[in-house]
Amino acid sequence: MRDNGIRRAAVFTTSAWGGYSSCAQYVEDIARARAAAGEGAPELVKLRQYFDHPLLVEMFADAISAAAATLPAELRDEARLVFTAHSVPIAADERHGPRIYSRQVAYATRLVAAAAGYDDYDQVWQSRSGPPRIPWLEPDVADHLAALGQKGTRAVIVCPIGFVADHIEVVWDLDYELRQQADDAGIAFARAGTPNADPRFARLAAGLIEELRTGAQPARAVGPDPVPGYGCSVNGEPCSPRCCGTAS
């Protein structure tokens, strides 16, 4: 980019959220990339968080409806809706915001559930790693599915709201491992799709660039108890001490 004369570029990340792993780590990567490029490195502007963008809400709500339609007709009305996102260590979640990541996930879940027509649902976590002694956000989706089975739940719709594409955490952890667990427990399983190559996702990204270019008001879905969403980061500098920095 530097050698081709590019002086400014927008960076769109496949993470809609704030927090360290979901935002600040990308900011650090941008700073390292510019340092590696050296003198004349282009200005890199990481686009804002988009967890509450109306198009993201719309895509996930539509995906839930499509997933429900794949269940046996007699089970659709009773299917339990379960939202899942990538877990992080509790200490990391507390350090940024505080809890900016988990609060944004909970808010987006409320927005999507309402748009899909669900008043009652569950929000859980998945794909934790590291030593068991380190506490991560819970409950885990596999543990939660086991608990639902013990309660007599006969069908579930799992919405991977934390992911905008079919990452390995979706196609392996959910489509393979969790589906197998559901099959073994006799629970009908449907997984809502992620945005992937939906044209609306491209429109979302283009809209964020247009907001940056024109200074337009951010497009945000509105719901009860809104959670802050932070703006653009320039050249690897924190967008806000309440997100990319460490909250005091």
Side-chain angles (χ1 to χ4, degrees):
M1 292 171 65
R2 179 202 61 198
D3 294 344
N4 288 332
I6 295 172
R7 293 291 170 257
R8 191 172 192 239
V11 179
F12 177 75
T13 63
T14 53
S15 169
W17 320 99
Y20 179 70
S21 298
S22 304
C23 183
Q25 199 164 20
Y26 291 100
V27 171
E28 293 173 356
D29 289 341
I30 288 170
R32 280 193 292 269
R34 294 191 75 253
E39 185 176 354
E43 178 182 83
L44 298 179
V45 182
K46 178 187 173 295
L47 297 171
R48 71 168 177 88
Q49 298 155 16
Y50 52 93
F51 64 94
D52 57 355
H53 196 287
L55 288 175
L56 191 72
V57 173
E58 181 182 290
M59 285 184 283
F60 274 118
D62 287 351
I64 289 169
S65 297
T70 68
L71 291 170
E74 67 274 14
L75 296 178
R76 290 172 194 166
D77 290 343
E78 67 178 80
R80 188 68 181 173
L81 177 59
V82 179
F83 291 90
T84 180
H86 206 301
S87 187
V88 298
I90 291 175
D93 192 42
E94 292 283 353
R95 192 161 54 244
H96 295 269
R99 302 185 309 281
I100 191 65
Y101 171 64
S102 60
R103 289 162 56 213
Q104 287 178 348
V105 170
Y107 181 57
T109 294
R110 294 197 297 272
L111 293 172
V112 172
Y118 288 80
D119 296 323
D120 196 19
Y121 58 87
D122 303 319
Q123 194 255 299
V124 300
W125 306 94
Q126 67 171 88
S127 308
R128 68 151 292 160
S129 59
R133 69 178 183 277
I134 297 177
W136 285 50
L137 295 174
E138 294 180 335
D140 177 78
V141 65
D143 295 339
H144 186 66
L145 183 66
L148 289 177
Q150 291 172 358
K151 293 178 181 178
T153 299
R154 298 197 299 163
V156 295
I157 303 166
V158 176
C159 177
I161 194 167
F163 305 92
V164 297
D166 287 349
H167 304 292
I168 190 66
E169 293 93 342
V170 175
V171 297
W172 179 262
D173 294 3
L174 301 181
D175 291 351
Y176 180 73
E177 291 188 331
L178 195 69
R179 183 182 293 274
Q180 184 63 58
Q181 180 183 341
D183 289 346
D184 292 345
I187 300 173
F189 180 93
R191 197 265 288 174
T194 57
N196 282 320
D198 190 314
R200 290 174 292 184
F201 195 42
R203 284 167 46 204
L204 184 157
L208 297 184
I209 295 172
E210 188 67 8
E211 290 175 7
L212 174 66
R213 190 182 69 83
T214 65
Q217 281 292 108
R220 298 190 185 279
V222 179
D225 302 319
V227 176
Y230 294 103
C232 300
S233 167
V234 181
N235 290 342
E237 292 296 324
C239 63
S240 166
R242 304 296 293 175
C243 175
C244 296
T246 300
S248 57

